[in-house]
Each structure stands twice: as C-alpha cells, then as structure tokens.
Amino acid sequence: MISVSLRGLLGRKLRAALTGIAIVLGVAMISGTYILTDTIDRAFTTLFTESYAGTDAVVTGRGLDISIDGESPPNPPVDASLLDTVRGVEGVALATGTVLDERNTKILTAEGKAVSSEGAPTFGFGIDTAPELDQFNPLNVLEGRWPASADEVVIDVGTADDQGYSVGDMVEISTLQPKRSFELVGVAQYGSLDSLGNASFAVFTIPAAQELLDRQGQYDAISVAANEGIAEDELVAAIEPVLPDTAKVVSATAEAEDQVDEVNEFTAIFRYFLLVFAGIALFVGAFVIFNTFSITVAQRTREFATLRTIGASRRQILGSVILESLVIGFAASLIGLGLGVLLAEGIEGLFRALGVELPTADRVFAMRTVIVALVVGVGITLAAGLFPAIRATRVPPIAAVREGATLPKSRFAPFVPWVAGIAVLVALVVLARAMFTDELGTADRLLSIAAGVLLLFLGIAMLSSHVVRPLAAVSSPIGRWAAFAFAVLFWPLWLLPYWLMRYGAWGPGSAARRVGAFVGGALLNPLVALVVLVMWLRRAVTSWVPEWPAEFPGVVPDRVAARTGGENACRNPSRTAATAAALMIGIALVAFIATLTNGMKVSNREAIEEQIAADYVVTSLDGYTPFVAAAGDALAASAVPELVTSVRSDGGLVDGNSAEIGGIEPDAIAEAYVFDWREGDESLLATLGTTKAVVSSNYAEDHDVAIGDEVTIRSTADRTAKVTVVGTFEPPPFYPLLESVNVSRELFDSLYDRPRNRWTWANVAGEPDDGDRARMEQAIAGFPDTQLETREEWIEREDADFNQFISFLYVMLTLAVFVSIFGMINTLVLSVYERTREIGMLRAIGMTRRQVRRMIRQESIITALIGAAVGLPLGIFLAALVNRALAEYDIRFAIPWVQLVVLTIVAIVIGILAAIMPARRAARLDPLRAIAYE
Amino acid sequence: MNGNGDGPVVVAADVARRYGQGETAVDALRGVSVEIERARLTAVMGPSGSGKSTLMHILAGLDKPTSGTVAVAGTEITTLGDNELTKLRRRHIGFVFQFFNLLPMLNARENITLPLTISGEKPEDGWVDKIVGDVGLSDRLSHRPSELSGGQQQRVAIARALVSKPTVLFADEPTGNLDSTTGNEILELLRRSVDDYGQTMVMVTHDARAAAMAHRVLFLADGQIVRELGECNAHRILEVLEEIAA
Ligand SMILES: Nc1ncnc2c1ncn2[C@@H]1O[C@H](COP(=O)(O)OP(=O)(O)OP(=O)(O)O)[C@@H](O)[C@H]1O
Ligand SMILES: [Mg+2]
C-alpha cells in the first residue's frame, strides 16, 4: 500500500513539486534564521571566551544599576594606582590595566567623515602590549606591530580593508579630543573573528588612550591572572578585600558569561523577529497545501473508491494520503533546510545593503536547526493535509461506478460559516484583549496577537468563499482592462520582439526577411533574445519543436475568453477562495504595515514640526547616538548662527529608578524648542539654576511626581544632586525630543564627566542660506561624527531611515507572497488538468490558443484581485486596531492611498505571472487528445 | 474456495432501493429476492433503468438497500459497519467494472496484485502467474493501463478480481465498453474462470449471446425479477426480453 501511494506521488511530480515549494520557502527561512543567528552567537561566544582565555579575574569600577530599554551603561573606570594594589595581592601572578571606551573613538574616512557604525560600538583601546602581558590581550596583530608612541595606532582589519588603509598610512581619528592624525603601524583582529560587524576599534598606547579618552590616571579594567593552582574563585576572594567601594572584581568566566548572555539576548530577539516571517510564509504555505490536497483528493475520488471496492479500508486511504503529505513535507523540508544556507547569506546581504554588517565566522549548522526545520516543515504539511486526507476516507466505494463522481460534501460543511464566524469573533476578542488590556506580559501579548491574527485570517478565509461571486463580478472588468493595459504596455517591448525573433528563427520566407526580423526583435528587447535562445537550445537538444506559425501578438481584449475565465473563477468558490486567501494574507500584512507606518511618518513630521523652532539641527551621523559636547560648543563659537543651544543626555537614576536625564540651556532652549507647558511656563527656565528641574508630564504621572517635589538624581559617574520639580511639559508622545527629566546644563555638566549632546539646535538671522550653512559646517568640521541639517532635511532623513526599515519588512514579506504565487500556479495547473476534456472541447469548437490563454489568465487575475479585495481592507482594519492600541503614542491614522493602488496593481501582475505557465499548458493541449482523454 | 457449505453464496430477501425522497423518489428495486448459487455464472438482464446495476451494487455491498436483507457467504451485510464490510470485500467479493477502473500509475502486474497488496496477503506460489497466463497478459505485465487496449485493460481488471479468490465476483456490463470480438474474448475468459476455478459469478449484460453463456439468467423489469431461465440459447433469451418489454 505504501508503494502504491508513493507511485501515485511519482505520477504527479509537477503537482507534488509545486505543493512542496509552499513549504520549502518557509523552512528555508527557519533554517536560514537559525544558521545566521547561531553564527552570530558563536562568533561572540568565541570572542568572549577567547578574550578571557588568559585572564582569571577582572577588576572594574562599580557602576550604578541603570537599565534603559534593557541597556546598561559601561562600568566607570578605576584609579590607576589600583593596579599596583592588585599586583600585591597574594596569589596574583600577573595583572594589567586596560583603557576601553565603547563609543567615542571614531576612525575617519579619507574624506574626513566618521566611518558609520550604525549604532555598533566604536572601541578605543589602551593596551599594554608588553610581550609578557600578551595573554590578556584579546587582539591579534595581523600585520605590522603594536603602537609604541602616542602618535601611532592599530585599527581593526575590517575597517582598514573597507577604507583602504594600509600599514604606514596616516589615519585620522576623532576621540573625546578633536580629531588627530596617527600613523597606522598595524592592523589587528579581535580574537580569531574575521569581522566584528559594524563595530570598529583603534588601539593606542595606554598613556595616549588615557589622554584621548579623558581617563587620565585611570583604567577601565584590570585583568588578573592567578598563580598556578589557584582557582578563579579563590583569586576573586583574595582580591575583594583590597578594593575600594567604587570597584568590584568578578571572575573571568562570570564576566565572559555575562557578555555572552547580553549578546544572546540580542540575537534571540533578532531570531524571533526573523522567525515571524518564516511563520507567516509557513502559514501561507499551509493554505496552499490544504488547497492543493483538497483539489487532488477531489480529483482522485474515483481512484479512492476503486481502492475501497477492492478491499482498502478507510484507514489505508487515510494512511496513503497522509503518507503523501509526509513525503512531500519531508522532501520539501530537506530542500528548505539546504536552501536555508543560501538564505542566510541572502539575509546577511540584505542587512549589508541596509548598512548593517553582521559579525561573521564559519557558518554554524546546528542539529537543532535540522530538527526544528524538519519537525515544523513536516508538521505543517501533515496538519494542512490532514483534513483533505480525512475527506478522502469519506469517499464511498459506490463512487467507483458513478460517472463524474465528486467528493461527498463534508459532514461539517453546513457548519463552516458558523465556525468561521465564531473564529472571527474569537479572533477579535483575543486581539482586543491583547491590545487594550494592561494585565498581559509582553510575551503573552505578542502570542495573543499572533494567535488572534492567525485565527482572523483563517476565519476570513473560510468566510470569503461566500463573497467570491460578487467580488469576481466586480474584478472581472478590472482584470480585463488591466490585462489590456499591460498587453499594450508590453506589446512593443515584449510581445512584438518575441514574435519577430521566433519568426526569424523558425518562420518561412527569405533569409534576409528572417534575419531582419530577428535583428529587429533583438534590438527592441535583447532580453527576449535569451528566451528565444533557450527555446532554440531546447529544440536542438530535445525532441521539442517550437510551434510555428505563432499567432501575431494582439492586444484587443477578448470578451468571450474573459467571460469564460470569470465564470471558471466562480465555479468552485471555495477553491478560488482558498487560493485567494493565501495571497490575501501577504497583501493584508503589506497593507497593514503601509497604513500603520504611513501614520507614523505623519506623526513623526508633526512631532518634529511641533517641537522645533530651530532652523538647523546637529546630530551624530547615525542621527541618534549622542555626540561629543564640544561639537556644540564649536558651533556656538561660530559667528554665523544667531543662537545655538545644545541638549545634553545621559542615563541616570532618579529617586532610584533608571531614567534618561537631559541638560538644557535655560536662557536659550525656548528659542529653539517649543515647550507645551502643562504646569508652569517659560519664565521658569531662567530659575532652574542647579537646584530645579522640569519633567515631562508622562514622567510626572508615571512616578507620581508633583510640582514642588524634590527628587534625587544620581549620575553614572556616581554623583548626586537634589532638585525640585518646578514645571511639567507635554511633548508629543510619538517622538519626544527632550528627555523626561531636565536640569540645567550647568548642573548636568557637574554630574557627568564626559557630557554628550543629543541635539544641538541653531537659528540663523533671516532665511537660512547655503553660505551660512557652509560656514557652520566648517565650524563643526573638527567633529567628524556630527552632521548639520535643516529641519526639513532632518525630517526627510528620518523618513528615509524609516522607509529603509519598511522596505526590509516588505522584502521579508515577499517570501510569503511568493508562496502564495506558487499556490495560485498550483491551483491553476490542477484546474487545467481537471478541465482537460472541457478545454479540448472548447478548442474543438473553435477557441484559439490565445483565447485559452486569456481565459486562464483572466481566472488568475480575478483570483488575485479577490485576494486584494479581502486583504487590503483587512490590513487597514488591523492597522486601525493597532493604531488604537498604541493610542498613548498618539499616532495619526492616515491611509496611504497611493501605496494601496500600487499594491492592487502588484496583485494584478501576480495574477498575470501566475497564469503564464498554466495558460501555456492549457493552450498546448491537443484538442483531439484532450477529448479522448480518460 | 472461500465460503463454506454448499448453500447459495449470496442470499437477498425482499430487497428494495429507493433513490431520493418525496415526489421525485425513484424506486430502483421493489422487493427482489434472489439466491446466487456456488460455482455458477448467473446473468442479469433487463431493459435500461430496470435496476440491474442497483441490484449488483447492493449484492456486492457497495450500496445499502432501503429495506430487505442481503447475506454474502453467510454474513448479513446490510447491517455491517465499514470495517467489517472492508474485510468482507477483501475475502469474499470481486468486482469487474464497465470502465475497468485501473490505477493509472501502476503497471499491469501491480494492478493485478493490488488486492493482495492492500490486504497484506502473500499470493500463493504460482497463482498470480497462472491467472496472468490464463487471461493472456504474460507479455504485457510491465505496461501501464494507458499503454494497453480496452480489452487488455479489462483482462487486467478481471485478473485483479480473481487474484484474491473471492467467494463471488460481480461484473457490471464488463463488455459494455468493448467491441464485439474483444467482448467475446472477455466473456470466454469469464466463463472459463467459472469452469476452471469454480468461481461464482454474477454478470449484468445487455447482450443475449453473453447471457447465453450463463448457467442461469435473471430478468429484471421495473425493479423486480420478472423471469428466470436456466441454461438456454441466445434466441430464447431475446424472446423473453421482448416479452418483458411488451
Ligand atoms: N444515484 C442515483 N440517484 C437517483 N436515481 C438513481 C441513481 N442510480 C440509479 N437511479 C435510478 O434507478 C433506476 C435503476 O437504475 P440502474 O442503474 O440500476 O439501472 P440499470 O438497469 O443498470 O440500467 P442500465 O442498463 O442503463 O445500466 C433508474 O431509473 C435510475 O434512474
Ligand atoms: Mg447499469
């Protein structure tokens, strides 16, 4: 029996392959994701374990327990004299001090701008490179030597390669001091890692690093190695007593684990993010598989009945259909698993295109990847094939003798609309609960949303078979005219050259005419020449003969073909609905993202325009990491701007809670920033001094702070100040530009050692002009990590950054759309197969090949348009729902009409593309054979 | 042979079958009682729409009567569940269809042994080869149905029905889709299997010469058995048919 069902599968190779693709892509995404994130994990794990290989314990400053959005500031440095103290501890064999700064060291390009790190760390090291201390050094010099004097530097090989720097070159580097030129004396890599992603590093001598990074007489870390036979823990216990309160010691293992955990947490998020898209693709794939199996089972009714009459039990029928899905699922998962390797490269390339370098190491292909990919791939195929398999068992033996026997209606058929209705209701309740109640944790909330959306899609898909007819009626003329429009558009560029070249290759007539036709066609569109070349090769190699005469390409719409195609689309509404549903999911998600993000862009612009009165803004190159405060001062020193004001920013503790603290200039801020006061007014700013603060109304509410309350601010440098809250303001929740707790810049600078600006705003007298701008840019030219933009440019760059992210989401969703295209092709192929006789009959009574093709194409376009007609409103509805759920951020709701129209056109194109292959198959059917076909 | 005792292999008592309900209901069978004897070829004749196929389906357990009882090899089948019916089909019933109903992806040999494959039985040594030889397919075994003529396909179907040595074999117009020469060969083959293997067989036919090869001919009209003949010639059968039609 097993061999029987396998033989059946072999007999339906094309269909099996098309079904399998539905799973292949999703599984490839899963395996690609795991391969990629495992590789990143491995890279960092190796990095950290390697870098602590010769170290047993690490002494650092004791930082505050601050965590903002899950990130903690680095530990503060310790006094350099501590190194000798530690060296004196019993059991210590060796110790060395290191300077390490994560973000202030920017290597410059030859043009003098900072190499963009897209938010990744830009390390500055001061390392004692004495040979006896080599065991502590995580870096390996690949070429050249370590720096020996203050004007020498070693940089990472990745940056050196990218920027074309080689040993002996002079390289400009900006640090907390103005940029300076260093001689590149070597290139190094971190451990054995080829690339650190976007991160870069520069290694100086210790005294140089201390000076450049503002750490005179300090180390960021002291690495310690124990004497032979002393365990890490013993070493830690021995060092602890000699340390001041401001320092701490941890074992190297613990430190490495800490850092590994931190990275793993990040890659886990990244992994889940990518897996979501794999999930979507698989969900769509499940629809395709369900549909394909349903159709094939229906088409095999007679076969199953015959098997029943010769003694097959229901269980055997069930088993044989399940076995088929098992084989398809397994084969597809295996292929997907392999394809994942390529996809991992693809995703990496995609990120690179977005400017994000991922750290590289040898690809990690974990057993877990294999297991998850196979289990999920096979599991989904089985689950999607189960219902059709059960229906196959309902085929009664008597169907073997009934002409044109069809699958009996499912016993549950009458309940389907009810079930679907209930599913939609439940989905809405689940979604509402997930979005509008507070009691759920983030994980629960995300899971509920996922489950709700899944259920909603399922319910809508089940219901949509009832609207197939009206939607088809509406889509039919749209499809016809769209097909006409496309035909006209492609006539000179595709259809005509194709015909000309075919004529040239196989047509009758004189050699001159044929050559002329061929050359003319090739001139019109050389690309088509490739297609004809392939045909020519195929003719040469196989027995295939290209058909001639080929119909001269025409564009006049054909009512008969279009109408028949439209009728075909309605013939089996549930089949059309299920096919459209697969596409509907992709379209709904794209529409969802387009609508939601369109609102966000509008809100972003409004938020900036509402708050900022300044003509110019200075930010760091990436637009969000704070930059050296001196840059703001340099601009202020310039004579061009009428007014310059900077906003400092750093993390700290306010009454023991983590918070972002801002430092504003009381006398100037109001000229550039428009406060929306809730309590108090602008006159307060002048009174801030070093004892008062203004806070955002959100902060005041969340932390129960009222006017007149005193709060204690503790900075990362561990200095504290008590301030009285004198005013509250209400920034637009979508994009507040000021921090939640703002003190005067004077107080801020006394709290932090290396203050940094989040913004520097400038106003010029009169209208901004290019001359002013050039001179201001000149003023900050010494700070290569900064950029000056007008307010409009700033808004547009933020939009552009955002657009990039949205495009990334779209690209990831394409996977799901691809799956649905294969679903459409599959359904069409099966329908053509099912209607072989009918098409033969139509051909016999005079339908031309072109009409047959158009008929199939029209059916396909209508199916795609139904997908769009259901998907677009659904996506908009979901966006509205999420918009309501995010009410606290006050996001505008703005329907992106243009994008939705584009999306509809994309759907039509998808319909046309999906029809190509099935339409050709249908048109090739020989009328006589088709009729004789049993 | 399967089935025990010497009594009739199939016993139908007062079988009625009604299709549809209410106004449009059709009574395809109205009280048919019949016994099919062992190792004999029973032919069923009658005008189109007289209920021949319906009777066959009910006797073979493919369909259930609206009322009445049917016993095959001593087992009452009208009340059997699906699993018992499946077992009964494996052991006791063979069916030859007008449209052959072969599985297109299997070759002739695989089609023939399919019932054994399904029931998981090992064929007796030489049995399959003997059948294949008897139906004259020895040199066509590796061909797919699409590569065989109609007559060859029906031979495969007959071999498939015989391979599990069913207690009774039903054939509904087995020659209905074949030309008369090929049809005659098939009829010979069927008759030979009755004579050589003692196969019990019920065959529906419109062809008087075919019916003349039977041991016994039942005449159906309007859902009832109206006449019955023993062995007789085609001429006599045609006479009876005309009588009935009149
Ligand atoms: N599935 C069905 N639903 C409704 N009526 C049916 C069905 N099958 C058969 N009938 C009716 O029952 C009656 C007997 O049909 P049956 O197929 O048994 O006739 P038959 O004697 O085999 O005819 P033929 O010689 O044409 O094959 C006919 O009137 C037919 O219309
Ligand atoms: Mg009949």
Side-chain angles (χ1 to χ4, degrees):
Chain A
M1 195 63 195
I2 289 178
S3 69
V4 172
S5 87
L6 292 183
R7 293 292 284 283
L9 201 56
L10 276 181
R12 293 183 293 272
K13 277 197 273 302
L14 173 68
R15 277 167 276 170
L18 284 170
T19 316
I21 290 175
I23 282 298
V24 166
L25 293 179
V27 171
M29 187 67 198
I30 291 188
S31 96
T33 300
Y34 277 123
I35 292 172
L36 190 65
T37 52
D38 284 351
T39 304
I40 298 174
D41 269 352
R42 160 86 65 90
F44 280 109
T45 310
T46 325
L47 180 81
F48 295 132
T49 40
E50 272 178 12
S51 52
Y52 289 104
T55 309
D56 293 313
V58 182
V59 177
T60 61
R62 195 185 286 279
L64 296 185
D65 190 11
I66 298 177
S67 155
I68 292 160
D69 298 335
E71 278 194 61
S72 309
N75 289 317
V78 296
D79 206 77
S81 63
L82 201 57
L83 178 55
D84 285 331
T85 318
V86 170
R87 280 182 175 150
V89 172
E90 179 105 11
V92 171
L94 270 178
T96 186
T98 314
V99 175
L100 163 62
D101 183 277
E102 287 185 5
R103 48 186 189 186
N104 291 310
T105 310
K106 309 278 177 188
I107 301 170
L108 306 191
T109 64
E111 289 76 40
K113 275 290 170 191
V115 174
S116 169
S117 74
E118 300 289 335
T122 52
F123 296 103
F125 288 115
I127 295 177
D128 189 342
T129 52
E132 69 272 18
L133 296 175
D134 201 42
Q135 71 187 85
F136 295 119
N137 191 347
L139 309 177
N140 291 317
V141 115
L142 294 177
E143 197 187 321
R145 58 170 174 83
W146 293 113
S149 69
D151 49 10
E152 292 178 344
V153 73
V154 163
I155 64 171
D156 67 287
V157 60
T159 309
D161 286 351
D162 286 350
Q163 300 303 321
Y165 290 139
S166 48
V167 174
D169 289 353
M170 295 305 287
V171 175
E172 282 192 313
I173 296 176
S174 89
T175 54
L176 289 176
Q177 311 305 323
K179 68 176 176 185
R180 219 180 269 178
S181 237
F182 297 85
E183 188 190 345
L184 186 65
V185 295
V187 292
Q189 66 178 17
Y190 208 128
S192 56
L193 217 58
D194 307 335
S195 153
L196 280 172
N198 286 89
S200 67
F201 65 77
V203 188
F204 309 99
T205 59
I206 288 186
Q210 286 172 330
E211 194 240 306
L212 292 168
L213 298 166
D214 248 350
R215 283 162 166 86
Q216 277 85 359
Q218 293 179 319
Y219 291 124
D220 288 282
I222 295 172
S223 309
V224 190
N227 277 322
E228 199 73 30
I230 294 182
E232 281 189 353
D233 292 348
E234 292 171 291
L235 182 69
V236 167
I239 296 173
E240 219 142 34
V242 309
L243 297 180
D245 280 351
T246 52
K248 63 175 181 180
V249 58
V250 290
S251 73
T253 315
E255 184 71 11
E257 266 170 18
D258 251 20
Q259 294 182 349
V260 168
D261 285 352
E262 214 168 286
V263 172
N264 285 357
E265 245 169 64
F266 161 75
T267 39
I269 294 173
F270 184 51
R271 179 178 299 145
Y272 289 129
F273 173 72
L274 291 179
L275 284 180
V276 165
F277 293 97
I280 295 170
L282 284 169
F283 183 58
V284 173
F287 268 85
V288 172
I289 290 179
F290 170 79
N291 207 23
T292 315
F293 270 92
S294 298
I295 300 173
T296 27
V297 160
Q299 289 178 351
R300 293 166 66 196
T301 303
R302 188 141 167 189
E303 179 187 326
F304 292 132
T306 304
L307 284 168
R308 292 301 315 275
T309 60
I310 55 178
S313 63
R314 281 194 173 151
R315 188 192 294 254
Q316 281 173 315
I317 300 287
L318 185 73
S320 88
V321 180
I322 286 182
L323 181 73
E324 258 183 50
S325 37
L326 197 71
V327 171
I328 291 181
F330 189 74
S333 302
L334 273 186
I335 296 171
L337 196 60
L339 213 60
V341 180
L342 290 180
L343 204 64
E345 305 287 337
I347 301 171
E348 205 184 330
L350 190 62
F351 274 97
R352 200 173 303 127
L354 293 176
V356 182
E357 289 281 343
L358 300 174
T360 47
D362 291 340
R363 289 268 173 261
V364 179
F365 201 80
M367 199 57 210
R368 185 262 275 106
T369 310
V370 178
I371 293 171
V372 172
L374 290 185
V375 167
V376 172
V378 173
I380 289 199
T381 319
L382 281 184
L386 189 61
F387 189 70
I390 291 174
R391 293 210 55 195
T393 68
R394 315 304 311 175
V395 173
I398 188 87
V401 294
R402 294 229 166 103
E403 182 67 10
T406 51
L407 207 55
K409 260 204 169 1
S410 160
R411 283 176 297 172
F412 306 109
F415 307 114
V416 166
W418 295 102
V419 172
I422 292 169
V424 170
L425 283 181
V426 171
L428 292 179
V429 170
V430 169
L431 281 175
R433 198 176 94 94
M435 291 181 182
F436 299 110
T437 58
D438 296 330
E439 76 250 28
L440 288 175
T442 313
D444 282 347
R445 194 181 299 266
L446 289 176
L447 274 181
S448 315
I449 291 179
V453 171
L454 232 67
L455 205 58
L456 187 65
F457 279 141
L458 274 178
I460 297 281
M462 283 195 268
L463 283 176
S464 60
S465 66
H466 296 276
V467 290
V468 161
R469 272 169 218 283
L471 287 182
V474 177
S475 315
S476 197
I478 301 178
R480 209 167 66 227
W481 288 107
F484 172 66
F486 277 105
V488 170
L489 278 176
F490 282 99
W491 195 83
L493 283 176
W494 191 267
L495 301 175
L496 180 65
Y498 179 64
W499 185 85
L500 282 174
M501 277 188 259
R502 282 187 71 162
Y503 174 76
W506 298 289
S510 69
R513 275 181 70 171
R514 289 176 54 185
V515 170
F518 195 91
V519 171
L523 284 178
L524 279 173
N525 189 346
L527 219 66
V528 181
L530 274 178
V531 179
V532 177
L533 184 74
V534 169
M535 290 171 72
W536 184 81
L537 276 177
R538 198 172 149 197
R539 179 191 156 99
V541 174
T542 68
S543 60
W544 179 76
V545 183
E547 178 200 339
W548 190 266
E551 283 164 309
F552 189 71
V555 294
V556 182
D558 190 317
R559 267 177 186 285
V560 180
R563 202 182 52 226
T564 322
E567 280 160 7
N568 284 344
C570 299
R571 228 198 255 186
N572 195 332
S574 57
R575 183 187 294 184
T576 307
T579 313
L583 184 63
M584 173 267 285
I585 295 169
I587 289 186
L589 291 173
V590 172
F592 164 73
I593 292 174
T595 309
L596 192 65
T597 55
N598 189 49
M600 289 180 173
K601 275 191 254 180
V602 173
S603 310
N604 194 46
R605 170 174 290 274
E606 283 181 359
I608 292 179
E609 284 175 351
E610 248 171 62
Q611 293 174 88
I612 297 302
D615 299 321
Y616 290 97
V617 59
V618 177
T619 60
S620 57
L621 282 189
D622 62 23
Y624 50 88
T625 36
F627 54 93
V628 195
D633 301 338
L635 188 60
S638 154
V640 184
E642 201 170 46
L643 170 120
V644 173
T645 183
S646 295
V647 176
R648 305 267 202 263
S649 163
D650 212 329
L653 292 177
V654 176
D655 282 347
N657 300 315
S658 302
E660 296 268 15
I661 313 234
I664 55 178
E665 297 170 11
D667 48 342
I669 177 89
E671 301 286 323
Y673 183 88
V674 183
F675 281 95
D676 180 5
W677 293 104
R678 172 160 322 166
E679 282 173 283
D681 57 49
E682 247 165 66
S683 64
L684 284 175
L685 292 171
T687 71
L688 280 183
T690 55
T691 55
K692 299 198 174 77
V694 290
V695 302
S696 73
S697 48
N698 262 343
Y699 183 87
E701 272 159 32
D702 291 352
H703 294 84
D704 236 347
V705 176
I707 301 292
D709 286 359
E710 195 180 60
V711 295
T712 307
I713 297 177
R714 197 162 164 206
S715 74
T716 42
D718 206 11
R719 287 194 279 276
T720 54
K722 284 188 190 315
V723 290
T724 311
V725 174
V726 292
T728 55
F729 64 102
E730 204 172 342
F734 183 74
Y735 191 16
L737 295 171
L738 291 190
E739 308 300 0
S740 30
V741 178
N742 294 280
V743 298
S744 71
R745 168 172 154 181
E746 189 188 353
L747 176 60
F748 188 95
D749 287 359
S750 72
L751 285 171
Y752 290 90
D753 285 333
R754 289 171 285 275
R756 296 151 64 86
N757 290 350
R758 188 169 167 201
W759 319 108
T760 294
W761 290 309
N763 272 333
V764 291
E767 285 298 302
D769 72 56
D770 287 351
D772 290 349
R773 184 201 179 110
R775 273 176 288 157
M776 286 197 287
E777 278 179 340
Q778 191 55 45
I780 56 166
F783 302 92
D785 185 35
T786 56
Q787 59 183 346
L788 179 99
E789 294 164 303
T790 64
R791 191 176 74 163
E792 189 56 32
E793 285 168 350
W794 177 26
I795 294 173
E796 270 163 23
R797 181 178 44 77
E798 299 230 319
D799 275 358
D801 287 354
F802 199 44
N803 283 345
Q804 212 173 37
F805 175 65
I806 300 167
S807 319
F808 172 75
L809 295 183
Y810 288 162
V811 170
M812 299 306 276
L813 282 178
T814 326
L815 207 67
V817 174
F818 260 117
V819 174
S820 57
I821 294 179
F822 282 109
M824 291 177 60
I825 296 178
N826 214 352
T827 310
L828 288 174
V829 167
L830 290 167
S831 298
V832 167
Y833 172 80
E834 191 173 286
R835 297 181 204 142
T836 303
R837 270 163 167 248
E838 181 184 315
I839 293 168
M841 193 270 291
L842 288 171
R843 292 272 287 123
I845 61 171
M847 201 179 228
T848 63
R849 290 191 176 205
R850 179 182 296 157
Q851 281 179 312
V852 170
R853 280 198 299 269
R854 285 187 174 171
M855 178 178 83
I856 306 286
R857 185 174 67 197
Q858 179 73 2
E859 182 176 350
S860 177
I861 295 176
I862 287 178
T863 308
L865 279 173
I866 290 175
V870 182
L872 291 177
L874 189 57
I876 296 171
F877 168 76
L878 283 175
L881 204 65
V882 171
N883 186 281
R884 296 288 311 146
L886 296 177
E888 58 173 311
Y889 297 107
D890 196 20
I891 304 170
R892 296 277 166 280
F893 185 74
I895 294 182
W897 293 109
V898 178
Q899 295 183 47
L900 297 188
V901 170
V902 170
L903 203 50
T904 312
I905 295 174
V906 168
I908 293 174
V909 173
I910 286 175
I912 292 175
L913 291 181
I916 292 176
M917 192 265 270
R920 292 183 69 95
R921 279 169 75 92
R924 271 208 307 268
L925 288 176
D926 176 357
L928 275 180
R929 288 259 315 269
I931 292 179
Y933 175 88
E934 161 68 27
Chain B
M1 276 288 108
N2 285 320
N4 29 25
D6 293 328
V9 179
V10 181
V11 181
D14 208 17
V15 168
R17 177 67 164 99
R18 166 175 290 202
Y19 288 112
Q21 292 161 349
E23 300 264 311
T24 57
V26 177
D27 282 310
L29 293 178
R30 359 174 150 224
V32 173
S33 298
V34 66
E35 297 187 345
I36 306 295
E37 287 131 54
R38 183 175 304 280
R40 308 249 281 166
L41 174 56
T42 308
V44 179
M45 298 201 78
S48 187
S50 55
K52 305 180 295 291
S53 296
T54 308
L55 178 64
M56 292 280 276
H57 300 154
I58 287 174
L59 295 184
L62 296 182
D63 198 4
K64 299 225 161 160
T66 321
S67 66
T69 59
V70 179
V72 174
T75 311
E76 169 59 42
I77 65 168
T78 49
T79 53
L80 285 187
D82 191 78
N83 282 332
E84 286 83 26
L85 260 180
T86 301
K87 277 183 206 138
L88 182 100
R89 275 187 210 116
R90 286 181 184 177
R91 290 187 53 208
H92 297 298
I93 295 173
F95 215 102
V96 174
F97 303 91
Q98 183 178 350
F99 294 104
F100 323 138
N101 285 34
L102 300 178
L103 269 65
M105 64 280 186
L106 301 183
N107 65 26
R109 181 180 192 93
E110 289 159 340
N111 262 298
I112 292 171
T113 52
L114 191 56
L116 302 177
T117 317
I118 287 173
S119 62
E121 281 169 37
K122 277 251 174 292
E124 259 170 55
D125 269 353
W127 174 237
V128 175
D129 291 335
K130 179 168 162 45
I131 291 184
V132 168
D134 287 352
V135 297
L137 276 171
S138 306
D139 54 344
R140 285 280 185 279
L141 282 180
S142 58
H143 290 55
R144 297 279 179 90
S146 55
E147 299 157 345
L148 296 174
S149 72
Q152 287 165 337
Q153 290 189 49
Q154 195 61 302
R155 286 164 194 270
V156 173
I158 290 168
R160 177 178 74 184
L162 290 173
V163 79
S164 56
K165 302 182 186 169
T167 312
V168 52
L169 190 154
F170 297 94
D172 193 350
E173 301 186 42
T175 60
N177 222 22
L178 302 171
D179 66 68
S180 60
T181 330
T182 321
N184 279 338
E185 286 167 21
I186 294 293
L187 288 170
E188 298 277 351
L189 181 61
L190 290 174
R191 171 69 200 227
R192 237 184 310 142
S193 65
V194 175
D195 296 343
D196 297 357
Y197 316 142
Q199 176 67 56
T200 312
M201 192 176 301
V202 184
M203 174 178 75
V204 169
T205 181
H206 281 286
D207 181 356
R209 277 176 310 157
M213 296 172 98
H215 296 113
R216 175 184 175 211
V217 186
L218 300 173
F219 292 90
L220 236 66
D222 237 355
Q224 281 171 320
I225 295 186
V226 288
R227 286 288 287 274
E228 186 181 333
L229 292 176
E231 267 180 277
C232 59
N233 61 25
H235 195 70
R236 174 84 186 110
I237 292 172
L238 282 174
E239 273 177 20
V240 174
L241 276 178
E242 267 167 40
E243 273 172 39
I244 292 169

